[in-house]
């Protein structure tokens, strides 16, 4: 049976990216710099208004899985798409990138494949307007134990925690991975997810997970306090905590120590995927036995690369970058 160094479970979202100035954002009523969920009719309006579209398979955890796969590890992704044009595109694109797409497109159902309309401003700030569609219907039935029990690292997407069925699927997946000798963790995804499900989030982290990744605002939201206090409290209930801090670098608590790794400032072309690719670099390091300092450096390099161009996935050989930096 196949073993995977990384398996991700998350929203299977087709990212549709275009450039737009502030005047266009104001005209369309798009709030700059945030991710907001939109209904189906709004998604169709925004899609029609986009020009020079770049279409790519996305979703935060899917982007991370793709980044790790590009570094040469065996990966799989669990998510739901409809058997429509976008769903077929998504499944084919993931498979073409060497990722095992564990779930075939769903032939029936009312909701189409999820998509996110991303508008990138001249300063690199992105405004994401996401229609979740069929991906939110993920349940335990979509999560094959043949995949989860053979994952060395399981990575869960916090956005799917918004649904009770997703919570059950996460717990079962994490437990299957751990029973098979692997480790499981989560990307918090959004402070608002935490606010809606704080007790369940904390219970999952404490009882079922080995690591948690989030930005400083997401970590702080776990305990409704300042970042430093929340980081310490999270580390008390989880063996490994990774907090990205934008220009202030990354703080990692694990193995009985804390690592604060600075970043080299990069003027962003498009900030889409920065956190996703940081996670890819960090988890690659973790999967290959690197220490926390090297993991953090790998994460920072992957994040710096992805914000240097449009699109949420790397466009150059990051393994060569690691070699150039003496990390492998």
């Amino acid at each position: 049976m196949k073993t995977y160094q990384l398996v991700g479970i998350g929203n299977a979202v087709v990212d549709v990216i275009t450039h737009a100035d502030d005047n266009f954002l104001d005209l369309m009523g798009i709030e700059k710099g945030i991710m907001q969920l939109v209904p189906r009719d709004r998604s169709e309006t925004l899609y029609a208004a986009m020009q020079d579209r770049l279409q790519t398979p996305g979703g935060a955890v899917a982007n991370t899985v793709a980044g790790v796969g590009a570094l040469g590890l065996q990966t799989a992704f669990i998510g739901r798409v409809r058997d429509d044009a976008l769903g077929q595109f998504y499944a084919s694109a993931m498979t073409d990138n060497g990722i095992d797409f564990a779930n075939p497109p769903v032939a029936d159902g009312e909701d189409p494949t999820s998509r996110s309309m991303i508008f990138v401003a001249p300063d690199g700030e992105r405004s994401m307007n996401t229609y979740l569609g069929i991906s939110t219907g993920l349940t335990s039935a979509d999560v094959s134990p043949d995949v989860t029990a053979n994952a060395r690292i399981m990575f869960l997407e916090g956005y799917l925690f918004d649904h009770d069925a997703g919570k059950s699927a996460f717990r079962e997946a994490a437990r299957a991975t751990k029973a098979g000798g692997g480790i499981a963790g989560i990307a918090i995804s959004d402070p608002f997810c935490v606010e809606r499900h704080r007790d369940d989030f904390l219970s999952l982290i404490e009882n079922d997970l080995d690591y948690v990744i989030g930005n400083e605002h997401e970590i702080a939201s776990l305990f409704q306090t300042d970042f430093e206090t929340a980081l310490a409290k999270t580390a008390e209930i989880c063996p490994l905590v990774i907090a990205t801090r934008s220009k202030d670098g990354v703080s990692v608590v694990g193995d009985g120590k804390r690592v604060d790794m600075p970043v080299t400032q990069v003027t962003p072309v498009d900030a889409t995927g920065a956190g996703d690719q940081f996670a890819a670099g960090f988890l690659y390091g973790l999967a290959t036995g690197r220490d926390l300092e090297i993991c953090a450096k790998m994460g920072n390099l992957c994040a710096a690369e992805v914000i240097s161009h449009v699109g949420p996935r790397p466009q150059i050989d990051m393994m060569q970058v690691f070699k150039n930096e003496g990390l492998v």
Side-chain angles (χ1 to χ4, degrees), residues 225-301:
T225 185
D226 64 275
F227 168 71
E228 289 294 336
T229 302
L231 181 64
K233 285 181 172 292
T234 308
E236 290 175 0
I237 64 171
C238 189
L240 178 59
V241 184
I242 306 106
T244 57
R245 309 184 67 188
S246 190
K247 63 181 177 59
D248 294 322
V250 58
S251 297
V252 183
V253 181
D255 297 338
K257 63 180 179 180
R258 173 169 172 168
V259 173
D260 292 294
M261 186 62 59
V263 293
T264 301
Q265 294 298 308
V266 176
T267 301
V269 172
D270 173 16
T272 306
D276 309 340
Q277 293 310 319
F278 170 84
F282 191 97
L283 292 178
Y284 171 83
L286 199 64
T288 53
R290 266 71 181 189
D291 61 31
L292 296 181
E293 289 89 347
I294 298 300
C295 291
K297 288 179 181 178
M298 288 177 165
N300 286 342
L301 287 169

Side-chain angles (χ1 to χ4, degrees), residues 81-253:
V81 297
R82 180 76 181 274
D83 190 13
D84 54 20
L86 284 179
Q88 292 165 8
F89 163 79
Y90 192 98
S92 295
M94 295 290 276
T95 302
D96 289 347
N97 286 329
I99 301 163
D100 281 4
F101 190 67
N103 306 72
V106 178
D108 53 9
E110 296 181 0
D111 296 323
T113 296
S114 310
R115 73 289 309 267
S116 182
M117 280 62 63
I118 303 172
F119 298 88
V120 182
D123 61 2
E125 196 69 53
R126 85 273 197 214
S127 307
M128 304 172 67
N129 299 264
T130 303
Y131 168 63
L132 290 177
I134 197 172
S135 65
T136 59
L138 185 135
T139 70
S140 298
D142 299 301
V143 181
S144 169
D146 290 339
V147 176
T148 56
N150 290 286
R152 299 302 89 204
I153 299 177
M154 172 62 64
F155 192 36
L156 309 171
E157 183 172 330
Y159 284 127
L160 281 179
F161 211 66
D162 257 339
H163 306 272
D164 288 340
K167 294 176 185 178
S168 297
F170 277 11
R171 290 189 183 94
E172 292 176 19
R175 291 169 185 174
T177 295
K178 289 163 71 73
I183 63 172
I186 195 168
I188 297 178
S189 296
D190 193 302
F192 297 112
C193 288
V194 177
E195 290 177 12
R196 291 190 289 268
H197 308 280
R198 183 170 286 106
D199 289 345
D200 285 340
F201 251 109
L202 291 173
S203 176
L204 180 75
I205 291 169
E206 182 171 10
N207 297 310
D208 294 300
L209 300 184
D210 304 286
Y211 68 93
V212 58
I213 299 178
N215 64 37
E216 58 186 322
H217 306 295
E218 293 160 357
I219 296 295
S221 70
L222 286 172
F223 290 95
Q224 297 177 284
T225 185
D226 64 275
F227 168 71
E228 289 294 336
T229 302
L231 181 64
K233 285 181 172 292
T234 308
E236 290 175 0
I237 64 171
C238 189
L240 178 59
V241 184
I242 306 106
T244 57
R245 309 184 67 188
S246 190
K247 63 181 177 59
D248 294 322
V250 58
S251 297
V252 183
V253 181

Side-chain angles (χ1 to χ4, degrees), residues 6-11 59-66 77 155-158 187 276:
L6 178 69
V7 173
I9 303 178
N11 283 316
V61 164
N63 289 335
T64 297
V65 170
F77 179 71
F155 192 36
L156 309 171
E157 183 172 330
D276 309 340

